[in-house]
Amino acid sequence: MTMIDSSCLMENGGGVGGGGGGSCLPCTPEEEKQIVEELNREAERDLKEGNLYFVVSSRWFSKWERYVGQGFVDNLDNGKSLESQDLDAERPGPIDNSDIIEGGSGNEGDELELVRALLEGKDYVLVPKKVWEKLVQWYKGGPTLPRKMISQGVFNRKQFNVEVYPLCLKLIDPRDDSESTIRISKKASLQELYERVCSVRRVEREKASIWDYFNKQKISQLSDSNQTLEELNLQMDQEILLELKEDSSPSQSGKDSTGNELAVVTLEPPRSPVSIAGGPVMSNGHSSSYSLNLQPGSALNSSFTDMDNGFGASSVRRVEKGGLAGLQNMGNTCFMNSALQCLVHTPQLVEYFLQDYSEEINTQNPLGMHGELALAFGDLLRKLWSSGRTAVAPRVFKGKLALFAPQFSGYNQHDSQELLAFLLDGLHEDLNRVKQKPYIEMKDWSGEPDEEIADECWRNHKARNDSVIVDVCQGQYKSTLVCPICSKISVTFDPFMYLSLPLPSTVTRSMTVTVFYGDGSGLPMPYTISVLKHGNCRDLSQALGTACCLKGGESLLLAEVFDHKIYRLLENPFEPLVSIKDEDRIVAYRFSGKGTGRRKLEIIHRDKSTLELLKGNVGKSFGTPLITYMDDDSPTGADIYLAACKLLSPLKRACSPTMAHSGKENGLLSEANAETSSSCNGQCEPPRDQSMGDTELEDTSSQELSFQLFLTDDRYSSCKPIFKDSVINSGNQIKVVVEWTEKEQKLYDSSYLKDLPEVYHKTGYTTKKTRQEAVSLFSCLEAFLTEEPLGPDDMWYCPSCKEHRQATKKLDLWMLPDILVFHLKRFSYSRYLKNKLDTFVDFPIHNLDLSKYVKKNDGHSFTYELFAISNHYGGLGGGHYTAFAKLIDENRWYSFDDSRVSPVNEDDIKTSAAYVLFYRRVRTESKAESGETSQVEAGS
């Protein structure tokens, strides 16, 4: 596309509500859009720490996007794009950020506080500095909400994020018991914090001393340094304490301003040469150095200082009542607490991390976290298994997590299963016994026995991956791919850490879909069918094809109609039906043959009758759009008119007005009426260009032209008349507008195009709430193991065809681990909808027998027992995570809800909130040489 010369606009702000004067005319919506897009691309090319971005309310920004026709932000209430909702949006007023600011108004700048828990894309958008300047020039308004881009993570995990919510600290000054709020970047240095505090409280820097006052405990004195506040593990909304050196005398040491004693606990590990894992600590106690130089065989430090909660030193040995400590919520960290409680109650991991594991710390693994994640997890597990039930604040662990997995940083809600996947993989790499991974070339197997292939694949995997996580948590499954064209079979054996199971559904929903003939051979007909509520568009097409007696070789093209236009084509057979709401209007176009790769002609109807003109509705759209296929490489205007004539022919009225609806049976024209409609009779011949010769004009002068066709664009914003010899160059999709005057309304019955029914017609009666659906864990597992075709975005490259194919895939369980984790796929995401399934899954607590699902009999038992559950309550974008965990020694279940820990009956742990299930193998059967069989409890 040729770019508009916007230099004048860029210099003068377009002259629309902007400062700077300038002689340029106001920007058009298209020019505004183009300028912003170019500035956004420029900002993307220059990403670096310190870049300035501005927070803009989505409520205002969506109005601007409608105005310029961008339509990037979706209306989350009804799922319709802004572009399709309002094609003639008015110019928005001044920028208004009041809805995302606490209190609704305030001063400009960093001190304005955003409403907590806002979501990017839904509540606000971020725009680069130059884009903000342009928007202010064009629209004025505000207030201004600048935010800086920061760098998070290390090495290959480093990423840039805009710090929308700076660190908020509560400064306590005991001199007057005042509390001040300090908002500062987590990347700010401690020196910057001192400068800010001294400025706010008007004290001399030499006399000021700041304490980490987490949980109202003097954790440690913050010595002036260049360490960042993030490295010091300062948390959102926590308190810091200001003390003046002149007020600190020996008699008052360790007391607050009222003379009460304060518990003083050092945050950092003691400067002992030995760490909790049995190796030497880092030079500064945390992550600024990566050379751990752990010494194998070192003794454990029996009096290590608590790194996580500041509640004093304690022994690390496991005590009888250990494992009953909760985890404090550090700001939307319930997802992390839930995942951690499941892991720290995994018997084999408890046994491992309570021993000396220093020899297995791998500091050189480029795929790991230099051992720091394993150390932080081990320290936290030891604290949780120490005596007492005092809740632990996992500040150090959260800091490490943010360092190595920036996606979990900040204070937004995340997914406990995604965190579990990261932790298991990260712990494995940090504890990988393989220091130098060998290169292993993959073989192309053909005809070898499964046992031979599986054993070699597992040996190759173990040659590169050998850790306690592999020993305990990894199994192996068989994956079989079959090419649909040449029947080439590909068999691989891959390791797994957990199994993500779909939730099959037996609940159905009624859907009404109107079928139109794509070749104009019949009248439209609505069909009401029943499909699985959580099925996909393939299920809908199959059920609809049966209802409308679809013939062999015919196909259906599903589409959603909104505002009398095609809103979206449902061409992806795996699009979930939950993306189609009851109030949506769905149509299906019936064609001979497949439509893949063929050019589509879409016809939209516009009313130009006298009545509509009197109402002021000039060119108002109505009815249902029609679609057909154009097989010509370069269709002309004549081809377009001929195709339109065929599509509209079933609507042609009989000669007599009294016969307007005669001859219609079962959605098809009668034979007599079909003969009348089969000929265009000149009514659909296109108008001729004025440049045509007189002879050509004489050929059509005796023929009265009916419909006028116009070529339009994707936004239906422009219309160009189509002439007979026009050459149409509109890519793979042509959009045409048909104008209906009173004359056409008399000739054709447009009522068939109107009153398109909704997917589900709601009656005025209130229906009784249906019983909650329940499925078994075995049904979920069987659905996971069922053969199915790959999605169109996950094509397989067939080595025989030398092309990507939509192969069928079949999974089989080959080898099961001692700890088996099931992830129930409650959350589904598509382009148009996010959904959570609250289906109750009936899972066994004892004696889960998987023997019939495992292909390899390796002598181990396939019986499992449940010991932990990660639960999710509520809906998407929020909700709350908890955990149930069983203390094996006590044979008793407990509920872990952040810092609250309480006993729970075993009968109460089965809920529809169950999200991740943890099972352990209860027996290991091994045959001695004498032939006798012994049974040993796993993990005991």
Side-chain angles (χ1 to χ4, degrees):
M1 182 181 73
T2 304
M3 299 292 290
I4 301 171
D5 184 4
S6 57
S7 58
C8 182
L9 296 171
M10 301 290 276
E11 291 174 5
N12 297 288
V16 180
S23 59
C24 290
L25 295 174
C27 289
T28 65
E30 176 65 27
E31 290 168 343
E32 285 190 18
K33 174 185 175 182
Q34 183 177 311
I35 291 171
V36 169
E37 287 177 344
E38 177 57 36
L39 292 177
N40 276 327
R41 286 191 291 267
E42 180 183 324
E44 291 174 2
R45 291 192 295 265
D46 189 35
L47 286 180
K48 63 177 182 293
E49 195 166 10
N51 283 357
L52 208 56
Y53 281 74
F54 290 79
V55 184
V56 182
S57 166
S58 285
R59 186 175 67 178
W60 182 89
F61 196 74
S62 63
K63 295 177 182 178
W64 177 82
E65 287 199 309
R66 278 201 299 269
Y67 171 63
V68 301
Q70 196 158 318
F72 287 164
V73 177
D74 286 348
N75 183 323
L76 298 180
D77 293 332
N78 61 15
K80 298 295 184 291
S81 74
L82 297 168
E83 178 180 341
S84 63
Q85 291 181 51
D86 190 354
L87 298 176
D88 300 308
E90 295 181 356
R91 189 173 188 275
I95 300 170
D96 183 8
N97 287 331
S98 61
D99 62 312
I100 59 174
I101 300 173
E102 288 286 0
S105 61
N107 298 320
E108 298 276 318
D110 294 327
E111 295 306 314
L112 280 176
E113 185 174 1
L114 289 176
V115 174
R116 291 292 178 92
L118 297 178
L119 296 177
E120 184 178 359
K122 177 183 178 182
D123 303 304
Y124 69 89
V125 296
L126 295 167
V127 300
K129 180 182 178 182
K130 290 185 178 180
V131 171
W132 171 256
E133 290 172 348
K134 283 297 171 188
L135 293 176
V136 171
Q137 286 179 355
W138 293 331
Y139 297 95
K140 296 188 181 296
T144 303
L145 301 171
R147 295 294 186 267
K148 285 186 178 180
M149 177 171 281
I150 60 175
S151 173
Q152 292 185 285
V154 292
F155 302 113
N156 59 331
R157 296 180 180 87
K158 183 171 291 188
Q159 64 184 43
F160 292 112
N161 291 315
V162 176
E163 190 177 23
V164 176
Y165 289 98
L167 192 61
C168 183
L169 301 173
K170 298 176 181 178
L171 174 64
I172 307 298
D173 190 340
R175 294 177 300 171
D176 55 3
D177 292 326
S178 65
E179 180 180 305
S180 307
T181 299
I182 304 292
R183 293 187 179 87
I184 188 171
S185 171
K186 67 179 73 172
K187 290 295 184 179
S189 66
L190 188 55
Q191 182 178 354
E192 292 176 83
L193 177 62
Y194 266 95
E195 292 173 357
R196 181 75 66 86
V197 168
C198 293
S199 174
V200 170
R201 300 306 299 166
R202 298 180 179 178
V203 298
E204 297 180 18
R205 171 65 191 88
E206 293 76 14
K207 297 181 179 180
S209 179
I210 301 176
W211 287 80
D212 181 350
Y213 201 48
F214 186 75
N215 282 340
K216 295 190 179 298
Q217 300 263 349
K218 292 179 77 172
I219 305 299
S220 66
Q221 184 175 348
L222 303 177
S223 302
D224 193 356
S225 71
N226 287 323
Q227 284 183 288
T228 66
L229 306 184
E230 183 179 45
E231 292 171 337
L232 292 168
N233 297 308
L234 295 183
Q235 301 297 312
M236 179 72 81
D237 295 326
Q238 84 155 74
E239 295 176 335
I240 54 176
L241 182 68
L242 172 65
E243 284 188 347
L244 299 183
K245 293 179 180 178
E246 62 185 16
D247 295 332
S248 300
S249 61
S251 61
Q252 293 292 317
S253 177
K255 297 183 179 182
D256 63 14
S257 59
T258 62
N260 296 322
E261 292 188 359
L262 292 170
V264 180
V265 182
T266 304
L267 175 66
E268 303 300 337
R271 302 306 183 192
S272 162
V274 182
S275 77
I276 185 66
V281 298
M282 293 164 280
S283 59
N284 61 1
H286 49 77
S287 63
S288 59
S289 172
Y290 299 111
S291 299
L292 301 185
N293 298 320
L294 295 175
Q295 299 174 0
S298 301
L300 284 171
N301 180 4
S302 61
S303 60
F304 78 103
T305 301
D306 177 18
M307 296 175 61
D308 274 312
N309 67 356
F311 289 107
S314 60
S315 171
V316 299
R317 67 182 175 84
R318 181 174 175 179
V319 296
E320 184 179 358
K321 290 294 182 181
L324 294 179
L327 289 165
Q328 289 189 25
N329 194 309
M330 312 296 293
N332 265 340
T333 56
C334 59
F335 77 97
M336 180 181 78
N337 295 345
S338 173
L340 285 172
Q341 291 290 8
C342 292
L343 287 181
V344 301
H345 286 88
T346 301
Q348 290 90 329
L349 297 185
V350 174
E351 194 72 24
Y352 179 86
F353 281 101
L354 288 182
Q355 297 176 1
D356 180 2
Y357 58 95
S358 60
E359 291 187 359
E360 298 199 338
I361 294 290
N362 189 337
T363 61
Q364 306 302 319
N365 187 353
L367 300 178
M369 275 62 87
H370 308 281
E372 293 190 50
L373 184 67
L375 286 171
F377 177 81
D379 291 345
L380 181 59
L381 181 145
R382 289 168 178 265
K383 174 49 59 182
L384 291 170
W385 279 93
S386 298
S387 59
R389 299 194 179 188
T390 306
V392 174
R395 295 203 299 168
V396 172
F397 181 84
K398 185 176 184 296
K400 299 297 182 187
L401 188 64
L403 181 65
F404 295 109
Q407 65 269 29
F408 297 115
S409 64
Y411 302 93
N412 288 332
Q413 185 68 277
H414 296 280
D415 190 311
S416 68
Q417 186 273 331
E418 292 178 0
L419 176 64
L420 279 166
F422 169 79
L423 286 180
L424 288 173
D425 186 64
L427 290 174
H428 156 64
E429 296 295 356
D430 268 6
L431 299 170
N432 198 345
R433 304 175 186 111
V434 180
K435 309 303 180 182
Q436 296 292 332
K437 294 188 177 185
Y439 171 75
I440 299 175
E441 187 173 352
M442 299 297 294
K443 287 186 179 180
D444 185 15
W445 301 98
S446 58
E448 289 81 359
D450 284 350
E451 291 78 6
E452 180 181 337
I453 302 174
D455 290 346
E456 181 160 347
C457 287
W458 187 251
R459 284 195 301 271
N460 293 341
H461 176 66
K462 288 278 288 185
R464 295 172 53 85
N465 303 276
D466 185 17
S467 70
V468 63
I469 303 300
V470 175
D471 296 342
V472 172
C473 300
Q474 287 195 358
Q476 189 182 35
Y477 62 72
K478 174 186 176 182
S479 174
T480 305
L481 293 172
V482 180
C483 178
I485 306 300
C486 70
S487 299
K488 166 71 175 177
I489 298 177
S490 172
V491 175
T492 58
F493 288 83
D494 302 306
F496 68 86
M497 199 102 68
Y498 54 87
L499 299 176
S500 290
L501 307 185
L503 303 188
S505 175
T506 57
V507 175
T508 61
R509 64 183 289 199
S510 292
M511 300 184 71
T512 299
V513 181
T514 305
V515 177
F516 287 79
Y517 284 82
D519 58 1
S521 60
L523 289 168
M525 177 70 72
Y527 295 89
T528 300
I529 54 177
S530 292
V531 291
L532 289 174
K533 182 178 180 181
H534 299 292
N536 53 37
C537 286
R538 182 177 60 181
D539 301 325
L540 177 59
S541 293
Q542 290 174 350
L544 189 60
T546 301
C548 71
C549 300
L550 198 69
K551 300 175 182 177
E554 288 187 317
S555 63
L556 293 174
L557 173 65
L558 295 172
E560 180 182 347
V561 174
F562 179 75
D563 194 25
H564 310 293
K565 302 172 185 69
I566 298 296
Y567 171 63
R568 58 169 170 153
L569 294 173
L570 299 169
E571 295 181 289
N572 179 7
F574 301 100
E575 178 73 27
L577 293 183
V578 292
S579 68
I580 301 175
K581 299 182 180 180
D582 286 345
E583 61 271 19
D584 291 341
R585 289 174 167 83
I586 302 298
V587 297
Y589 300 98
R590 183 171 182 169
F591 297 103
S592 296
K594 301 294 183 181
T596 306
R598 299 169 70 184
R599 177 179 288 147
K600 299 181 184 69
L601 171 64
E602 177 185 339
I603 295 179
I604 304 97
H605 312 281
R606 187 165 293 175
D607 195 342
K608 296 284 285 188
S609 63
T610 304
L611 179 61
E612 290 299 319
L613 292 175
L614 290 175
K615 291 180 180 179
N617 298 326
V618 180
K620 181 179 180 181
S621 298
F622 78 96
T624 305
L626 302 175
I627 290 182
T628 189
Y629 289 124
M630 302 290 295
D631 293 323
D632 299 312
D633 294 334
S634 300
T636 63
D639 296 327
I640 300 296
Y641 268 88
L642 180 60
C645 180
K646 289 181 179 179
L647 284 179
L648 295 170
S649 61
L651 309 181
K652 191 168 177 59
R653 296 181 187 272
C655 297
S656 172
T658 60
M659 299 287 291
H661 290 282
S662 63
K664 288 174 283 189
E665 299 176 1
N666 299 324
L668 296 172
L669 290 173
S670 67
E671 183 176 352
N673 198 24
E675 290 177 359
T676 304
S677 303
S678 62
S679 174
C680 295
N681 292 326
Q683 297 299 316
C684 291
E685 185 174 332
R688 301 298 297 273
D689 194 326
Q690 297 300 318
S691 62
M692 289 192 301
D694 294 337
T695 304
E696 291 176 301
L697 286 173
E698 288 176 3
D699 294 338
T700 60
S701 61
S702 61
Q703 297 178 344
E704 183 182 359
L705 299 178
S706 182
F707 289 102
Q708 173 65 62
L709 303 186
F710 296 87
L711 185 66
T712 186
D713 55 20
D714 289 339
R715 295 188 62 243
Y716 314 99
S717 58
S718 65
C719 288
K720 298 179 181 179
I722 298 178
F723 300 100
K724 179 179 180 180
D725 55 353
S726 300
V727 178
I728 310 300
N729 295 314
S730 295
N732 207 37
Q733 188 165 355
I734 303 171
K735 295 190 178 184
V736 171
V737 173
V738 174
E739 284 195 347
W740 290 70
T741 65
E742 289 180 335
K743 179 180 178 182
E744 283 77 32
Q745 295 284 5
K746 292 178 180 179
L747 292 172
Y748 293 84
D749 189 353
S750 63
S751 64
Y752 289 103
L753 301 173
K754 300 177 180 178
D755 301 323
L756 191 66
E758 295 180 346
V759 167
Y760 179 73
H761 178 67
K762 302 177 182 63
T763 63
Y765 299 98
T766 303
T767 57
K768 184 178 179 181
K769 186 176 181 180
T770 57
R771 185 179 179 184
Q772 185 183 40
E773 183 184 10
V775 298
S776 71
L777 182 64
F778 295 105
S779 298
C780 299
L781 181 58
E782 288 164 3
F784 172 76
L785 298 175
T786 299
E787 183 181 39
E788 63 178 3
L790 297 175
D793 297 329
D794 191 26
M795 305 282 272
W796 170 64
Y797 182 79
C798 176
S800 178
C801 298
K802 307 297 183 182
E803 289 186 26
H804 285 89
R805 301 295 190 192
Q806 195 170 0
T808 58
K809 183 176 183 179
K810 175 71 171 69
L811 296 178
D812 293 294
L813 299 180
W814 187 260
M815 183 173 62
L816 297 183
D818 289 339
I819 299 299
L820 184 58
V821 180
F822 291 111
H823 162 225
L824 305 179
K825 297 173 68 173
R826 295 194 177 276
F827 301 104
S828 62
Y829 303 92
S830 70
R831 179 181 175 187
Y832 302 99
L833 190 69
K834 299 177 181 179
N835 184 52
K836 183 196 173 183
L837 302 178
D838 289 316
T839 305
F840 176 79
V841 177
D842 187 7
F843 48 86
I845 299 176
H846 305 284
N847 300 320
L848 171 63
D849 185 4
L850 299 175
S851 56
K852 73 174 185 178
Y853 299 103
V854 184
K855 296 298 182 180
K856 177 185 178 182
N857 185 0
D858 56 3
H860 291 85
S861 168
F862 301 129
T863 304
Y864 287 80
E865 181 181 85
L866 187 72
F867 70 88
I869 307 172
S870 175
N871 302 304
H872 180 269
Y873 299 89
L876 287 165
H880 182 60
Y881 286 93
T882 67
F884 294 136
K886 183 179 182 179
L887 293 191
I888 307 299
D889 294 342
E890 295 184 19
N891 194 30
R892 189 172 187 180
W893 284 87
Y894 288 87
S895 170
F896 294 85
D897 185 355
D898 288 333
S899 58
R900 296 179 294 277
V901 181
S902 58
V904 62
N905 293 327
E906 185 173 273
D907 295 338
D908 297 330
I909 65 173
K910 284 188 178 184
T911 70
S912 59
Y915 183 42
V916 185
L917 307 175
F918 288 74
Y919 283 88
R920 66 188 187 100
R921 197 195 305 268
V922 293
R923 291 187 182 89
T924 300
E925 298 180 359
S926 60
K927 295 183 179 180
E929 292 182 1
S930 61
E932 297 179 354
T933 301
S934 62
Q935 296 182 344
V936 181
E937 186 77 14
S940 61

